[in-house]
């Protein structure tokens, strides 16, 4: 077989399908677009909303994932774990419009009507819930693989030294999993940044209130402000690059034994 | 003092322990067996880490069979030193001390010659010092029995022959009963007062390490001759 076979299909496909679209965005930047976007208060609101909601959603995702990883480690036979495990990966395969609809029905007018006409829906708070819903599984998977990579004897020794399962989890397991926790947070954060469908169905797309970067780009395309859409899009690309590089810089410090 | 009576354990269809019983008095007892004979499983059952299908574990006249590891007062030195990497050696060694306990840990630290490395992190230690620290960590809370699971695995013979007599001196001075697990009768000889072998899920006492060696030798031959 031709030893260049991998090169021949990988390089053109990768550059055509991944790199080229990103370059297309960058080459379409225009001075007018950048200027208009930079003075648009709704753009900055959407940046602020995105960052704030994604940070909080990722934080929540990690907290809940810490709970799940505990069950994974110490009570894998329990009913709680089995049910949680079943639901865990569901959001990954679920169309995010479905997630948005589910959230809308759960926290909307019927159940949370006392909060107002539309229940809890269409507030920044539910944008966070939507982001949490789609990013939790990523955080949970990352933490579970962190737990699975631990040397079990370390936990056993701590138990014989007097720790119950909760003590050993907080004093030994979590500190040793700092890298996994951090990765889980960053993955959850980036998943939250990129969420569109669930956010827009549940939180709406109200400039200045519940609009996030993803929905800002969508709105600008829809109303024909392509220049501004491109500017916001390149901003997103830069943000993603930043996150990816943060992830790759912080590689395991505790790899040595 | 440890008494384990009639321990049964199987994993799926594989019977690992079958009516295994063992007594450790104020002595260092070596439990010798080939790889896969169920040594670690037995030790983890004594420590409360693995649950047996049947059987009883009694430590100092107290039936601990249904207690979790943290209530059994056993010391555990596993196959790899398993030090807590995020803590200094000192914090590792003191980990088992609860606030109310006032124990002179420096005695153990000095006997095991780790005083100079207390401020270091585990990854800065050589293999020998990791093993010493791991032993110190298990000894400082004054366990009622010390369980050691091939703690010198992977260490070269020269180092083993230096470190084992050291360990023996310390364990004798502290008068802690020890169950020391190994697949190597020579290692057992350097450390132990008495010997037992584990074979086919059962534990038998033997009088000398030479006797142990013969039995192990035969069972290895049996295992590999078809
Ligand atoms: N958690 C487990 N699940 C299934 N089988 C196991 C487990 N732990 C040990 N075993 C099996 O039990 C047997 C005894 O293992 P072990 O007690 O570790 O032996 P030793 O320490 O003497 O080498 C081995 O065949 C091993 O594969
Ligand atoms: Mg073993």
């Amino acid at each position: 077989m031709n030893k260049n076979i991998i090169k021949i299909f990988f390089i053109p496909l990768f550059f055509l399908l991944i790199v080229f679209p990103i370059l297309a965005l960058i080459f379409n930047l225009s001075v007018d677009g950048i200027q208009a976007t930079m003075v648009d208060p709704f753009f900055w609101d959407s940046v602020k909303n995105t960052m704030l909601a994604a940070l909080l959603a990722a934080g929540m995702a990690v907290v809940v994932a810490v709970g799940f990883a505990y069950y994974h480690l110490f009570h894998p036979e329990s009913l709680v774990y089995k049910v949680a495990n079943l639901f865990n990966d569901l959001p990954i395969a679920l169309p995010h419009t479905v997630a948005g609809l589910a959230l809308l029905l759960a926290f909307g007018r019927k159940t949370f009507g006392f909060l107002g006409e539309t229940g809890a829906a269409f507030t920044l708070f539910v944008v966070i819930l939507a982001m949490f819903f789609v990013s939790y599984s990523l955080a949970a998977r990352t933490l579970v693989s962190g737990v699975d990579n631990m040397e079990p004897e370390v936990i056993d020794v701590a138990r014989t030294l007097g720790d119950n399962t909760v003590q050993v989890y907080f004093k030994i397991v979590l500190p040793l999993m700092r890298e996994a926790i951090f990765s889980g947070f960053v993955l959850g954060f980036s998943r939250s940044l990129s969420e569109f469908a669930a956010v827009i169905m549940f939180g709406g797309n109200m400039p200045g209130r519940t609009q996030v970067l993803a929905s800002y780009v969508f709105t600008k395309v829809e109303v024909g402000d392509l220049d501004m859409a491109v500017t916001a899009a390149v901003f997103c690309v830069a943000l993603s690059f930043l996150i990816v590089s943060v992830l790759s810089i912080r590689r395991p410090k505790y790899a040595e034994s | 003092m440890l008494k384990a009576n009639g321990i049964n354990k199987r994993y799926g269809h594989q019977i690992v322990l079958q009516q295994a019983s063992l007594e450790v008095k104020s002595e260092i007892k070596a439990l010798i067996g080939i790889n896969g004979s169920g040594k670690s499983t037995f030790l983890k059952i004594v420590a409360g880490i693995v649950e047996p299908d049947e059987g009883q574990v009694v430590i100092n006249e107290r039936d601990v069979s249904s207690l979790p590891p943290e209530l059994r007062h056993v010391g555990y030195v596993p196959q790899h030193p398993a030090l807590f990497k995020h803590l200094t050696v000192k914090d590792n060694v003191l980990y088992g001390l609860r606030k109310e306990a006032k124990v002179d840990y420096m005695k153990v630290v000095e006997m095991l010659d780790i005083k100079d490395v207390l401020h270091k992190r585990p990854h800065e230690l050589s293999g020998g010092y990791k093993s010493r620290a791991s032993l110190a960590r298990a000894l400082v809370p004054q366990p009622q029995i010390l369980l050691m699971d091939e703690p010198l695995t992977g260490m070269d013979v020269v180092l083993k022959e230096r470190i084992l007599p050291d360990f023996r001196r310390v364990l004798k001075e502290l008068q802690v009963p020890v169950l020391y697990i190994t697949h190597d009768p020579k290692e057992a000889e350097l450390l132990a007062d008495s010997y037992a072998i584990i074979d086919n899920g059962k534990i038998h006492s033997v009088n000398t390490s030479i006797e142990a060696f013969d039995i192990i030798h035969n069972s290895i031959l049996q295992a590999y001759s078809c």
Side-chain angles (χ1 to χ4, degrees):
Chain A
M1 200 182 263
N2 186 333
K3 73 180 170 61
N4 287 325
I5 181 97
I6 305 279
K7 264 190 211 164
I8 289 168
F9 77 80
F10 171 73
I11 294 175
L13 284 180
F14 180 79
F15 278 86
L16 179 69
L17 301 179
I18 304 282
V19 179
F20 180 57
I22 301 291
L23 291 179
L25 273 181
I26 293 168
F27 287 132
N28 276 289
L29 271 177
S30 66
V31 178
D32 287 351
I34 295 175
Q35 273 170 352
T37 310
M38 290 300 122
V39 298
D40 180 7
F42 289 149
F43 169 74
W44 292 110
D45 283 338
S46 75
V47 172
K48 207 175 65 199
N49 287 343
T50 308
M51 300 300 273
L52 182 69
L55 278 174
L56 289 172
M60 272 171 67
V62 168
V63 169
V64 180
V66 160
F68 179 72
Y70 173 84
Y71 279 99
H72 175 82
L73 183 60
F74 290 114
H75 302 290
E77 300 299 326
S78 69
L79 186 66
V80 174
Y81 177 75
K82 285 181 175 157
V83 173
N85 197 30
L86 195 67
F87 273 85
N88 222 16
D89 291 340
L90 203 63
I92 292 175
L94 212 58
H96 289 182
T97 47
V98 176
L101 184 60
L103 287 165
L104 195 58
L105 293 176
F107 299 102
R109 183 157 38 119
K110 275 196 193 133
T111 45
F112 283 72
F114 59 89
L115 290 177
E117 184 71 3
T118 52
F122 311 121
T123 58
L124 191 59
F125 173 67
V126 307
V127 171
I128 298 167
L129 293 191
M131 288 177 169
F132 167 80
F133 192 87
V134 297
S135 57
Y136 161 70
S137 332
L138 283 176
R141 284 176 162 222
T142 314
L143 261 69
V144 160
S145 73
V147 160
D148 286 342
N149 283 328
M150 285 213 38
E151 200 183 346
E153 279 80 13
V154 170
I155 297 165
D156 297 339
V157 169
R159 295 292 305 277
T160 62
L161 290 172
D163 280 357
N164 62 34
T165 53
V166 173
Q167 288 168 328
V168 72
Y169 193 58
F170 282 103
K171 285 161 68 185
I172 301 291
V173 178
L174 292 181
L176 286 175
M177 291 211 322
R178 282 197 299 221
E179 293 297 329
I181 292 171
F182 181 75
S183 305
F185 180 82
V186 175
L187 283 174
F189 181 67
S190 29
R191 186 69 201 78
S192 299
L193 283 186
S194 60
E195 184 51 29
F196 173 66
V199 166
I200 211 167
M201 288 199 61
F202 188 27
N205 180 7
M206 294 181 284
R209 289 183 51 203
T210 63
Q211 193 170 58
V212 293
L213 273 166
S215 40
Y216 181 88
V217 172
F218 177 76
T219 301
K220 289 298 166 197
V221 173
E222 216 180 29
V223 301
D225 276 335
L226 208 59
D227 284 353
M228 290 173 83
V230 169
T231 307
V234 172
F235 187 87
C236 291
V237 171
L239 208 57
S240 317
F241 265 117
L242 194 71
I243 291 166
V244 175
S245 35
V246 165
L247 257 191
S248 58
I249 290 168
R250 277 195 54 130
R251 277 297 150 196
K253 264 208 214 114
Y254 284 96
E256 347 80 23
S257 79
Chain B
M1 280 256 288
L2 164 75
K3 261 190 200 157
N5 295 323
I7 307 281
N8 287 344
K9 179 70 187 177
R10 53 166 72 201
Y11 284 114
H13 291 299
Q14 184 194 6
I15 296 172
V16 180
L17 298 170
Q18 198 174 21
Q19 288 298 312
S21 300
L22 177 75
E23 197 174 335
V24 181
K25 303 197 180 92
S26 310
E27 59 183 340
I28 302 178
K29 177 160 261 174
L31 176 61
I32 311 166
I34 60 173
N35 282 334
S37 56
K39 303 183 295 295
S40 295
T41 303
F42 180 78
L43 182 133
K44 285 178 181 170
I45 286 171
V46 171
I49 296 158
V50 167
E51 214 178 316
D53 300 331
E54 242 173 278
Q56 193 191 29
V57 178
V58 178
I59 296 172
N60 283 4
E61 316 289 312
R62 189 169 65 122
D63 186 343
V64 297
S65 309
S66 56
L67 295 182
E70 62 266 28
L71 301 178
R72 291 194 180 196
H73 300 294
V74 301
Y76 177 36
V77 184
Q79 192 158 359
H80 303 286
L83 294 171
F84 308 134
K85 290 174 197 163
H86 61 303
L87 303 177
T88 60
V89 173
K90 183 177 176 190
D91 289 338
N92 269 272
V93 169
L94 296 185
Y95 194 87
L97 290 184
R98 304 290 128 163
K99 280 194 196 85
E100 63 277 14
K102 282 253 187 295
V103 176
D104 181 18
Y105 71 95
M106 280 313 281
K107 188 179 169 196
V108 173
V109 164
E110 273 163 16
M111 280 194 293
L112 283 166
D113 196 21
I114 54 170
K115 202 174 169 186
D116 296 338
V117 299
L118 281 179
H119 62 282
K120 291 196 177 179
R121 296 262 169 179
H123 68 88
E124 297 174 274
L125 302 186
S126 68
Y129 275 96
K130 279 182 189 159
S131 299
R132 288 167 184 272
S134 180
L135 178 58
R137 178 179 59 180
L139 285 173
V140 161
Q142 302 184 324
Q144 293 174 347
I145 179 149
L146 180 68
L147 309 168
M148 303 176 80
D149 189 355
E150 313 208 42
L152 304 185
T153 303
M155 195 175 285
D156 70 61
V157 186
V158 182
L159 197 56
K160 263 190 203 175
E161 285 177 357
R162 254 184 48 197
I163 211 170
L164 278 170
D166 267 10
F167 280 11
R168 181 176 162 86
R169 200 169 36 76
V170 174
L171 297 173
K172 279 292 155 194
E173 190 167 336
L174 295 173
Q175 298 187 320
V176 56
V178 179
L179 175 59
Y180 186 92
I181 276 178
T182 179
H183 63 272
D184 179 1
K186 289 204 193 83
E187 214 178 293
E189 195 157 47
L190 282 169
L191 190 84
D193 302 314
S194 61
Y195 312 94
I197 57 156
I198 179 167
D199 189 26
N200 266 322
K202 286 199 166 54
I203 296 176
H204 317 272
S205 281
V206 290
N207 293 318
T208 61
S209 65
I210 299 166
E211 198 180 323
F213 184 80
D214 285 342
I215 298 173
I216 298 289
H217 193 78
N218 283 334
S219 70
I220 291 177
L221 288 182
Q222 259 174 22
Y224 290 97
S225 65
C226 314

